[in-house]
Amino acid sequence: MSKRALSKAVRRTAALAAAAALGLTGGVAEAVPPDGGTVVTVGAEQPVALIAPDGGTAYVVVLDAAREIRVKAVDTGTGAVGGQVGLGTAEGRPRSALAADGARLYVLNGPNLSVVDTATLTVLSTTAAPDQPRPAGWVAGAPSGIAVSPDGATVYVAQDGPWQYKRRRDARLLAFSTTERAFTASVPLGAWLAGTPVFRPGTRDLYLGTSAGLLHVDASGGAPVVLRTVPNTVASTGYDLAFTPDGQRLLALDGGLSGKGDLVDPAADPVVRRITLTAPDTVVALPRAAADGSRFYAVEDDPDQPLLHAYDTTTGEDAADETLPSPEKKVTDLAVDPDGDALYVSGTTGDTGRLHIIPN
């Protein structure tokens, strides 16, 4: 996405969202011609958009006003909602992932993993994860992330470790067979907190941020194997991770308030550059790579005005002239069209969740 197109589209979309909040626009979706975007009201809370491989549909996982999880299919060309399915009352924050071929959507609600057929928007199965081993009186950890293997055969679920007052145990990574529709393996991660796992494109190498550092996991076999902890990374309360589409560079954001991150070369896992993303005491999250691999986008979670940043994937430098105000008070997700034709910004203002489709 070009800098000029992104800047113009986001600013115009932000203006439309402000107008909608004042009651100046109506309807579920409103197009912004000709060089802007489309704003779609999708629900109440925590919208996340997963984009089909052809870019024609955004599958939005969102909570409605009654806190029921809804999956909605949004036509990215028109903004129309073509169908939806409910997954029950939310047990915390849902986690979701789309298979590479777009045929299956996986949604984790508490310990329950639902498989959704995207062609029909029907729930094929819901499977509870095995109970997390823990001493009596301890609380099970919350699920923290989900990823689908490139071949679609396995879903990996990260779960924080169990805890009791001032006591903690290791998080774990679970493997779910999509053919058996059953959990088949579990490995400890050596840290209490875990983030969302991501695959290096074109491989079965999985990376996972934890409170003890960034892990490189071999997911080529039946059970995942932790190969190593990437040395010399910023370690706090987990990471948000993003790969460039060619798999040559990984951005790992510190989950704490340092405002820092690391650029990692996954060929041998050295940190090639420590970068300062924002001033300290600021959370930067939701990294996503541009389709052409030139930029990482990320959100600075400023409570007064969230900002969308763009960073050079080689140097890590902030392209300051591309920093933009968020169209929503709380950004809950970023996504990039597979062909680079659009940026998708999901978020909430008040009790309304929206998807902003910003064309290139």
Side-chain angles (χ1 to χ4, degrees):
M1 176 169 293
S2 69
K3 294 188 292 183
R4 185 171 298 173
L6 177 59
S7 176
K8 183 182 290 186
V10 172
R11 292 183 190 279
R12 189 163 184 173
T13 306
L16 177 64
L22 294 173
L24 302 179
T25 65
V28 174
E30 180 154 350
V32 185
D35 56 357
T38 302
V39 183
V40 187
T41 299
V42 291
E45 297 180 57
Q46 301 175 18
V48 171
L50 301 105
I51 313 304
D54 64 2
T57 306
Y59 299 101
V60 180
V61 181
V62 64
L63 274 58
D64 64 17
R67 291 192 57 79
E68 181 177 1
I69 300 172
R70 312 294 299 182
V71 176
K72 300 185 178 185
V74 177
D75 185 307
T76 59
T78 66
V81 177
Q84 60 180 288
V85 63
L87 298 180
T89 302
E91 300 179 35
R93 179 181 175 183
R95 310 285 179 170
S96 52
L98 186 66
D101 63 3
R104 297 287 185 267
L105 174 67
Y106 300 91
V107 182
L108 189 65
N109 179 26
N112 302 307
L113 180 63
S114 292
V115 182
V116 178
D117 177 78
T118 57
T120 61
L121 286 184
T122 55
V123 179
L124 301 178
S125 66
T126 298
T127 307
D131 192 39
Q132 190 173 48
R134 60 192 185 277
W138 286 49
V139 179
S144 55
I146 182 174
V148 187
S149 62
D151 61 3
T154 310
V155 176
Y156 294 91
V157 173
Q159 182 182 13
D160 291 339
W163 60 277
Q164 190 185 53
Y165 180 66
K166 291 188 176 182
R167 302 175 73 184
R168 308 286 186 262
R169 288 197 173 178
D170 284 352
R172 64 177 178 172
L173 183 65
L174 297 163
F176 175 87
S177 168
T178 60
T179 54
E180 299 176 37
R181 292 187 188 163
F183 287 92
T184 56
S186 174
V187 296
L189 296 175
W192 175 47
L193 299 176
T196 296
V198 299
F199 277 94
R200 184 185 182 190
T203 76
R204 289 297 297 263
D205 290 297
L206 183 147
Y207 286 75
L208 176 64
T210 74
S211 51
L214 176 61
L215 302 183
H216 183 169
V217 177
D218 178 4
S220 61
V225 177
V226 177
L227 296 179
R228 57 182 167 269
T229 300
V230 177
N232 304 316
T233 58
V234 180
S236 182
T237 55
Y239 288 86
D240 274 342
L241 307 176
F243 273 101
T244 52
D246 62 6
Q248 298 304 303
R249 189 69 83 233
L250 170 65
L251 173 62
L253 301 184
D254 178 23
L257 297 173
S258 72
K260 296 184 182 296
D262 293 311
L263 289 176
V264 177
D265 179 358
D269 289 341
V271 173
V272 296
R273 191 179 298 270
R274 171 73 41 77
I275 58 176
T276 298
L277 300 154
T278 62
D281 299 324
T282 304
V283 173
V284 181
L286 302 174
R288 304 291 186 263
D292 65 4
S294 65
R295 291 285 187 269
F296 285 118
Y297 302 117
V299 177
E300 180 182 350
D301 192 15
D302 187 302
D304 297 320
Q305 175 58 72
L307 299 172
L308 306 181
H309 289 271
Y311 301 94
D312 186 282
T313 55
T314 301
T315 66
E317 292 182 3
D318 188 348
D321 61 331
E322 300 175 41
T323 299
L324 303 168
S326 162
E328 298 289 347
K329 289 291 290 181
K330 175 66 176 178
V331 178
T332 52
D333 185 60
L334 290 181
V336 178
D337 186 87
D339 293 327
D341 293 334
L343 180 71
Y344 301 83
V345 181
S346 302
T348 58
T349 298
D351 57 0
T352 301
R354 299 182 184 90
L355 171 65
H356 298 256
I357 306 171
I358 304 168
N360 186 356

